[in-house]
Amino acid sequence: EHTPLSPEDRFHSILTMHTHPKWDGVIKRMRINLAPGESEVSFDIDSFFTVYDTRHTINNPIYIMSSDYYFNWTGDLQFLRERINMMRIALKHQQTVMGGLELNHIRNIWPGHEGLPGWVKDEDGEVTILGGRGIGNNYWDLMPFGWDDFYATYQYYQATLVMADLEEAIAANPGWNIPRGALAMDPDFLREHAAAVKETANDLFWNEDTGRFYASIDVEGTKYDYGYTFLNLDAIWYGIAKPEHAESIMDWVTGERIVEGDTSTGEDIYHWQFGPRATTVRNIAWYGQGWIFPEDIEWGGQIQDGGAVLGFAFYDLWARLQVLGADNAFERLLGIVAWEKEVHAEGGYRAYYADGKQGTSLQGGGTAGGIGIDAEFFESSLIPSIITYGFVGLNPQPAALHIEPDLPAQAPEMTIHDLLYRGVVMDVTASNEEVTLELKNDPAYELHVVFPEGWVQDDDSPAADVVITEAGSYTFTKS
């Protein structure tokens, strides 16, 4: 007899089994080896667990892009010194382990991420769970994006371009004292590779029949297209969609083009008012193990099957701005504002959608639903940034703040108050012909501001790279 170990003294071990050379997918026996010289000892076995590999293929590019955003807005060189090699390694992982360099797209080879559903159902409705299959790869975790994955590919594409810009700026600014060394990447190579990724992605994942992108292609070659508006609008935001494909996508999303066989077409794509449905085709088959009776919830009762997420209406606004123009994008924004007023007149989001009176319910806090707005849906805060990034056209880059306004006729001038850029508080007032920066404090170091060709400073000199060193008012005009 012996005294069981306290929780603090217990030994826990996690073993990565699938990397073992003799792994064939089945564990038949477990051997426990005692320490050298140990014999006739007693020990407790609390439990053995087998767990799935639930990593996401998009974590690395998101890490790269978010770090880049932070640096571009703040100019925090210490942050960049500490993060740059981790960013390089994160991209290297996508290039090698995830197949980026070899395939010019992302392929997830992790067990359980082959893009196959996690269950099958026979003609009698009997469900068979397929253990270790259908594991989610990203935000949309009910669906088994995997194997040849477009969602992960376009984020890889953008992360590659981000690193190209960052590496170029680091090389051009040795005074930043950012480590280079063996991990540094060649920006020209990265841009050439990104161009190859774009070409491959538009060939491999484009569905000629529906005029939009597939989500993924599984290990058996099956292609999945349930009318993913979020996926296709993302492709425009990340710049991977070719112009002709972007136009086709917007014709479909706006209802100008009807895709035969879709569950939702035309005006019904905007049934939820604030933005397009996440999907336009009913999906009762392509899910992971955690969602085995999708037919029990009506169309639109689940976010990932005809529902919608408020925050991702930003990408709809952005795509409209890029493809259909500022007037179209602003008209859609006014539609969101009208919906918001209607919601608040009813007492807020929870009251507005209570008891399914709008045709669905809110998801949040562990409860499934058709609409994502509050609770864990922090991305709702994306919507106002269409003013900053879209209409006013602020684009912070590693070495400069690029400005290119694109204002609609209904709002020919917009002002962003108290914008914080690299430690400087400023007001930015923009029209399509003039931009004024009101800096309220002196910069700690030179600020570089870049306008497109044809824009000039007060003295009519080109505004291709303006250096600002003190507080004050600066006006730029389009000649």
Side-chain angles (χ1 to χ4, degrees):
E1 295 184 3
H2 65 283
T3 303
L5 294 175
S6 67
E8 295 78 16
D9 294 329
R10 290 176 181 170
F11 175 74
H12 302 271
S13 179
I14 298 177
L15 304 177
T16 306
M17 300 299 295
H18 73 269
T19 58
H20 193 282
K22 293 187 177 181
W23 172 254
D24 66 0
V26 178
I27 299 173
K28 297 178 180 178
R29 291 183 296 176
M30 296 292 296
R31 174 187 293 168
I32 299 174
N33 292 326
L34 301 177
E38 293 272 351
S39 62
E40 299 182 2
V41 299
S42 298
F43 55 88
D44 291 322
I45 298 175
D46 182 84
S47 54
F48 287 107
F49 292 99
T50 57
V51 295
Y52 301 144
D53 185 346
T54 58
R55 290 176 294 171
H56 285 184
T57 51
I58 63 169
N59 285 353
N60 283 9
I62 286 177
Y63 175 76
I64 293 165
M65 291 185 287
S66 59
S67 297
D68 180 70
Y69 266 116
Y70 177 80
F71 172 72
N72 290 348
W73 277 109
T74 65
D76 187 339
L77 291 171
Q78 182 60 33
F79 171 86
L80 187 59
R81 288 187 198 105
E82 293 172 354
R83 299 297 191 282
I84 186 62
N85 280 337
M86 289 187 283
M87 295 169 70
R88 289 163 172 158
I89 292 171
L91 186 62
K92 193 72 173 177
H93 182 272
Q94 303 302 98
Q95 292 176 334
T96 55
V97 176
M98 308 311 298
L101 291 178
E102 177 186 357
L103 303 170
N104 288 334
H105 67 82
I106 295 301
R107 172 175 288 175
N108 192 348
I109 60 172
W110 300 332
H113 294 261
E114 300 90 352
L116 300 166
W119 49 267
V120 293
K121 192 172 296 186
D122 64 22
E123 57 187 18
D124 297 323
E126 211 44 52
V127 173
T128 300
I129 300 291
L130 304 172
R133 256 181 46 168
I135 303 172
N137 278 340
N138 55 50
Y139 177 100
W140 305 88
D141 54 356
L142 293 185
M143 296 172 291
F145 283 74
W147 199 248
D148 292 338
D149 186 343
F150 183 55
Y151 193 96
T153 294
Y154 59 65
Q155 298 210 21
Y156 170 61
Y157 167 79
Q158 185 58 221
T160 299
L161 291 177
V162 159
M163 285 301 296
D165 290 343
L166 202 51
E167 293 283 18
E168 186 172 72
I170 290 169
N173 292 274
W176 287 1
N177 192 28
I178 305 299
R180 298 186 72 193
L183 291 176
M185 297 180 174
D186 177 10
D188 291 337
F189 169 78
L190 292 176
R191 292 191 180 105
E192 289 174 7
H193 174 56
V197 170
K198 183 171 183 173
E199 193 67 31
T200 297
N202 279 270
D203 289 341
L204 179 64
F205 295 106
W206 186 251
N207 186 341
E208 291 287 353
D209 293 334
T210 61
R212 61 197 181 207
F213 287 108
Y214 293 108
S216 79
I217 305 170
D218 71 26
V219 69
E220 296 175 353
T222 302
K223 301 178 179 181
Y224 297 93
D225 174 5
Y226 286 97
Y228 295 113
T229 62
F230 64 85
L231 179 100
N232 285 271
L233 295 171
D234 272 9
I236 298 173
W237 162 253
Y238 287 113
I240 200 171
K242 290 183 175 180
E244 62 271 25
H245 288 168
E247 291 175 7
S248 175
I249 289 165
M250 295 315 296
D251 283 347
W252 155 59
V253 171
T254 60
E256 290 295 317
R257 180 172 63 84
I258 302 299
V259 178
E260 296 299 329
D262 276 13
T263 311
S264 176
T265 60
E267 293 182 358
D268 183 70
I269 293 175
Y270 284 83
H271 178 77
W272 306 120
Q273 297 177 262
F274 59 78
R277 294 180 184 270
T279 66
T280 62
V281 180
R282 179 74 154 135
N283 175 13
I284 58 171
W286 193 53
Y287 292 101
Q289 297 172 27
W291 203 253
I292 60 176
F293 293 107
E295 68 276 11
D296 289 353
I297 294 181
E298 63 182 11
W299 168 247
Q302 163 54 239
I303 283 173
Q304 301 181 49
D305 190 32
V309 176
L310 172 61
F312 299 138
F314 166 82
Y315 301 107
D316 180 31
L317 293 169
W318 176 268
R320 286 169 177 269
L321 181 64
Q322 302 306 306
V323 180
L324 304 176
D327 291 336
N328 183 286
F330 192 72
E331 195 64 39
R332 178 86 282 275
L333 180 59
L334 292 180
I336 297 174
V337 171
W339 163 82
E340 184 81 5
K341 289 180 178 178
E342 183 180 324
V343 167
H344 282 288
E346 289 289 321
Y349 304 121
R350 289 282 153 181
Y352 184 76
Y353 289 101
D355 304 319
K357 60 187 177 184
Q358 302 300 330
T360 192
S361 58
L362 283 181
Q363 180 167 316
T367 301
I371 301 292
I373 298 176
D374 60 359
E376 64 264 31
F377 293 92
F378 298 106
E379 59 273 6
S380 293
S381 61
L382 277 170
I383 298 294
S385 63
I386 193 60
I387 305 296
T388 304
Y389 294 113
F391 297 122
V392 176
L394 301 185
N395 179 16
Q397 293 293 302
L401 176 62
H402 293 242
I403 304 178
E404 187 173 3
D406 190 0
L407 279 296
Q410 292 188 70
E413 182 178 288
M414 295 184 183
T415 299
I416 301 172
H417 292 284
D418 296 327
L419 178 80
L420 181 62
Y421 173 69
R422 302 206 166 184
V424 178
V425 178
M426 66 178 77
D427 294 342
V428 181
T429 300
S431 72
N432 288 332
E433 293 76 35
E434 183 176 285
V435 172
T436 298
L437 306 179
E438 293 278 354
L439 276 66
K440 301 181 181 181
N441 59 285
D442 291 336
Y445 49 87
E446 291 182 348
L447 293 187
H448 289 254
V449 182
V450 174
F451 285 86
E453 184 178 354
W455 283 76
V456 297
Q457 305 180 55
D458 290 337
D459 60 1
D460 288 334
S461 61
D465 185 3
V466 179
V467 179
I468 299 176
T469 59
E470 58 185 27
S473 179
Y474 301 86
T475 298
F476 309 88
T477 55
K478 189 174 184 180
S479 61

